[in-house]
Amino acid sequence: MPLSTPLSYLRPMPVSLSSFAAVSRLFAAALLLPALLGGCSSKFEWRTMTNDDGRFSVMYPAKPTLDERVLPIAGRELKMQMQAARAGGATFAVGSVQLPNEDPALQRAVLDSLESGLARNIGIDAHPQKIQIALTENGQFVDGDALAGSGKVPGRSEHRMISARFAIRGQRVVQAVVIADKPIPAEQVEQFLGSLRLY
């Protein structure tokens, strides 16, 4: 069921610098995908993928790969998946953190770590906007955050543009993000982000 308490009213749990560093390492892998997967297709071949472990479905523009790690986040060792595909000069990725329970303080702490980790890796300020993200159940939504901007990757000469959405759903905190080093059509970004469904 959707959260009954708006995210803006949940009091954050302190998040350590080690948590930021751990989350940042996994997102850094996504940031480097343009270099690692350089020979990607310019075509967008959309297909719906369901991730039962991450508890989401989304349309990818190419066949995705999956990375999974256990990271120290908010004082816990938590499993995080990063499923990503590359097309049209951009990386399309969904990250999902598995929580041990539905404690609102822990949910919010992990959400803050994801948003701050991504913003730091792009070199932008984290000022997300409140949005709603659809569930697989028809007509149902959960509160979420949206973050967009462009900046220089710390310690590297590359610039990146990102558009991301974040949400909490039960024992999962999910992030969907498009990362590119040059502008891509807005409709392709929306095709991906707008297709995200949680369950």
Side-chain angles (χ1 to χ4, degrees), residues 36-185:
L36 297 177
L37 305 179
C40 73
S41 171
S42 61
K43 296 181 180 179
F44 292 86
E45 299 177 348
W46 295 98
R47 78 283 309 275
T48 299
M49 303 291 292
T50 298
N51 186 314
D52 288 330
D53 198 21
R55 308 295 292 172
F56 68 86
S57 68
V58 72
M59 291 186 70
Y60 282 102
K63 184 177 180 180
T65 59
L66 182 66
D67 187 13
E68 182 177 298
R69 305 180 192 181
V70 175
L71 303 173
I73 306 174
R76 306 287 186 97
E77 294 291 322
L78 303 176
K79 184 173 76 172
M80 182 174 186
Q81 285 189 346
M82 179 68 74
Q83 190 174 46
R86 175 99 173 134
T91 299
F92 299 77
V94 179
S96 178
V97 179
Q98 182 175 333
L99 308 180
N101 54 56
E102 298 184 22
D103 173 47
L106 178 59
Q107 290 174 329
R108 183 67 208 198
V110 173
L111 183 71
D112 288 344
S113 291
L114 296 184
E115 293 176 349
S116 299
L118 180 61
R120 287 186 178 196
N121 274 316
I122 294 293
I124 64 173
D125 294 327
H127 297 301
Q129 296 181 336
K130 296 300 178 183
I131 60 169
Q132 288 192 313
I133 294 178
L135 303 179
T136 53
E137 294 89 345
N138 291 336
Q140 296 190 38
F141 297 84
V142 290
D143 293 328
D145 291 348
L147 180 66
S150 61
K152 183 179 178 181
V153 179
R156 302 176 65 89
S157 60
E158 294 93 342
H159 283 74
R160 295 285 187 269
M161 291 163 285
I162 63 103
S163 185
R165 295 180 184 177
F166 308 81
I168 295 167
R169 175 65 171 165
Q171 292 180 230
R172 300 294 186 275
V173 181
V174 177
Q175 171 192 272
V177 59
V178 180
I179 306 173
D181 53 12
K182 60 183 179 180
I184 63 171

